[in-house]
Amino acid sequence: MADADDPVRDAGAAAATLRERYDELARIEARIAEIGRDRIEAAADTYRQAHRVLDQYEDDAVGTGDFGSYVQFRGEFGEAVDVDDDALAADAFVAADEAVDKRRLSEADFAAAREALEPAGEYVDLLTDRDDALDEYRAARKKAREARKGLDARLDELREVAEMADADLDADVEAVRAPVESYNDAIREEFTDFYQSASARDVFAFLDRADGTPFVDADVPPTDLREYVDEYEAGAEPLPTLLEYADYSNSKLEHYVDDPGALRTAVAVHRTYVERLDAEPLTLDWPPAAGDELAYEIDELIPLVSRVAGDETVATLRSVRELARDEAYARRRRAAVVRDGLDEPELDLIRTGEIDDRLRTAERTAAIAEDVLAETERD
């Protein structure tokens, strides 16, 4: 049940990261709101357009190059950096325009214009920082939600363990397990012998009787197969023999059955059902049922088991029934249920008494994570 990961730790860390990303985004957005988003975007657009013009014309407008390109560059650049006096970075745009306001331009003049534009680049960076912070916030929120779900699953596990903390893990579970396993092993072996040697009619009759027993979920035969077994002489043969017959050629099969076609139609199409028959409906579950239920189940099983198993197997089944009626059974069964349902890390939490502290820590972390998710939600 325990993972290599720690869902409690992961949820706490994810919540802390989400809080940091949310606060960083809020700080940047507050700065943008303080300056004015429209003004910042206008300055950033002007900065980008100015750089596009510089990049486009630098090769053609420097030195004694194309005079037409020079004239076009001066017109487009002047228009690009033409902003109001109160615009953000207005001085930077003026300085950039002055850097290239010459009859003859050099690469150094273009470099000077780019350098003059740098104060306006801070607003581009501010918008980029905001976009990056928004992406990081969204990723952190997604991770925090996923971690919260993981923590919910872990809380369910810890609560399940806490509910099992009343179990006496030192109880003698083997006193019940040993006879149950002994009986299950024996009935599987003896039912196999019965299946392989008894007639198909007897096996089906047994399954019909078993199906009428409340605690036995027997798989009764399909109607057409049952009718064939009842009506044809081949029904006196064991089921494995009928399966073998179904593999024979028609010429060979005629020596064994009266109507080869009927056998193929009834048996071959139900091969999977016949091969799947086993003793599992007659076995006892582990962990076992509660005492009264198990005793009643065994009462129902004994007449059935007696038909296919020997006295020793029936005696073992009766011994399990006596254990189910013993006053120590409930404690042993509870220990069996807990041992079967939990892995070693969870069992250690019960043995050491740490489960309550672990559960409280997980619940506190869940509450914090839930608060952070609620407080950092954005429209």
Side-chain angles (χ1 to χ4, degrees), residues 156-280:
D156 289 342
E157 293 174 352
L158 290 173
R159 285 168 180 151
E160 179 183 352
V161 175
E163 290 174 357
M164 295 183 178
D166 64 317
D168 178 7
L169 297 182
D170 295 326
D172 186 9
V173 173
E174 288 305 310
V176 180
R177 186 197 300 272
V180 167
E181 290 184 348
S182 178
Y183 164 73
N184 285 344
D185 290 343
I187 193 60
R188 289 187 182 106
E189 181 177 347
E190 293 180 271
F191 182 85
T192 298
D193 291 341
F194 171 69
Y195 168 83
Q196 292 177 344
S197 60
S199 71
R201 290 183 193 131
D202 287 345
V203 172
F204 287 173
F206 175 81
L207 293 175
D208 285 341
R209 182 179 178 87
D211 186 53
T213 304
F215 283 94
V216 179
D217 186 18
D219 193 2
V220 296
T223 301
D224 56 336
L225 178 59
R226 179 58 185 268
E227 289 175 350
Y228 174 81
V229 166
D230 286 343
E231 295 172 8
Y232 287 81
E233 289 185 11
E237 299 289 346
L239 286 168
T241 300
L242 296 185
L243 291 178
E244 184 179 348
Y245 285 170
D247 291 331
Y248 288 175
S249 65
N250 283 336
S251 59
K252 182 176 180 180
L253 189 55
E254 288 175 351
H255 297 289
Y256 295 90
V257 298
D258 295 335
D259 189 341
L263 183 139
R264 289 188 185 284
T265 301
V267 177
V269 297
H270 295 299
R271 175 179 293 275
T272 299
Y273 164 78
V274 175
E275 291 177 338
R276 195 175 60 236
L277 292 173
D278 57 29
E280 291 311 303

Side-chain angles (χ1 to χ4, degrees), residues 17 28-29 33 41 62 71 86 95 203 220 228-229 294 299 361 376:
T17 299
I28 294 173
E29 289 186 330
E41 290 180 344
V62 298
V71 173
D86 61 348
V203 172
V220 296
Y228 174 81
V229 166
L294 179 58
D299 285 341
T361 298
T376 59

Side-chain angles (χ1 to χ4, degrees), residues 54-367:
L54 290 171
D55 293 342
Q56 180 179 354
Y57 287 100
E58 182 171 7
D59 291 340
D60 296 331
V62 298
T64 58
D66 184 354
F67 183 71
S69 295
Y70 165 79
V71 173
Q72 192 168 358
F73 162 70
R74 284 297 301 132
E76 290 189 20
F77 190 78
E79 184 178 350
V81 297
D82 183 18
V83 297
D84 295 337
D85 293 342
D86 61 348
L88 292 178
D91 292 344
F93 297 129
V94 171
D97 192 39
E98 291 175 350
V100 292
D101 187 13
K102 299 178 180 180
R103 289 183 176 274
R104 189 172 182 177
L105 296 173
S106 66
E107 292 180 358
D109 296 325
F110 275 79
R114 290 188 176 93
E115 183 176 357
L117 289 170
E118 287 183 4
E122 295 179 5
Y123 298 109
V124 176
D125 293 341
L126 185 58
L127 292 176
T128 300
D129 290 345
R130 191 266 178 187
D131 291 342
D132 291 344
L134 181 59
D135 289 343
E136 291 176 0
Y137 159 79
R138 287 171 174 165
R141 187 166 182 84
K142 180 180 179 181
K143 187 172 182 178
R145 285 198 301 265
E146 292 172 350
R148 180 69 176 85
K149 291 179 181 178
L151 179 53
D152 284 343
R154 180 57 177 161
L155 270 171
D156 289 342
E157 293 174 352
L158 290 173
R159 285 168 180 151
E160 179 183 352
V161 175
E163 290 174 357
M164 295 183 178
D166 64 317
D168 178 7
L169 297 182
D170 295 326
D172 186 9
V173 173
E174 288 305 310
V176 180
R177 186 197 300 272
V180 167
E181 290 184 348
S182 178
Y183 164 73
N184 285 344
D185 290 343
I187 193 60
R188 289 187 182 106
E189 181 177 347
E190 293 180 271
F191 182 85
T192 298
D193 291 341
F194 171 69
Y195 168 83
Q196 292 177 344
S197 60
S199 71
R201 290 183 193 131
D202 287 345
V203 172
F204 287 173
F206 175 81
L207 293 175
D208 285 341
R209 182 179 178 87
D211 186 53
T213 304
F215 283 94
V216 179
D217 186 18
D219 193 2
V220 296
T223 301
D224 56 336
L225 178 59
R226 179 58 185 268
E227 289 175 350
Y228 174 81
V229 166
D230 286 343
E231 295 172 8
Y232 287 81
E233 289 185 11
E237 299 289 346
L239 286 168
T241 300
L242 296 185
L243 291 178
E244 184 179 348
Y245 285 170
D247 291 331
Y248 288 175
S249 65
N250 283 336
S251 59
K252 182 176 180 180
L253 189 55
E254 288 175 351
H255 297 289
Y256 295 90
V257 298
D258 295 335
D259 189 341
L263 183 139
R264 289 188 185 284
T265 301
V267 177
V269 297
H270 295 299
R271 175 179 293 275
T272 299
Y273 164 78
V274 175
E275 291 177 338
R276 195 175 60 236
L277 292 173
D278 57 29
E280 291 311 303
L282 304 175
T283 60
L284 299 176
D285 291 334
W286 187 264
D292 290 345
E293 181 179 340
L294 179 58
Y296 185 77
E297 177 182 357
I298 293 174
D299 285 341
E300 297 288 326
L301 278 174
I302 286 175
L304 283 175
V305 172
S306 299
R307 291 173 171 264
V308 297
D311 293 343
E312 185 175 348
T313 301
V314 175
T316 302
L317 186 57
R318 287 197 173 100
S319 72
V320 176
R321 181 177 61 184
E322 294 308 309
L323 286 170
R325 292 169 173 169
D326 189 279
E327 62 180 15
Y329 177 77
R331 182 167 55 88
R332 291 167 174 168
R333 176 183 178 273
R334 179 61 170 166
V337 169
V338 173
R339 289 184 185 181
D340 188 75
L342 304 180
D343 60 16
E344 278 305 313
E346 270 68 36
L347 291 173
D348 285 343
L349 291 179
I350 293 177
R351 292 189 185 103
T352 60
E354 295 180 30
I355 179 59
D356 289 339
D357 288 342
R358 291 288 187 90
L359 179 57
R360 282 193 293 269
T361 298
E363 288 175 337
R364 284 196 299 269
T365 302

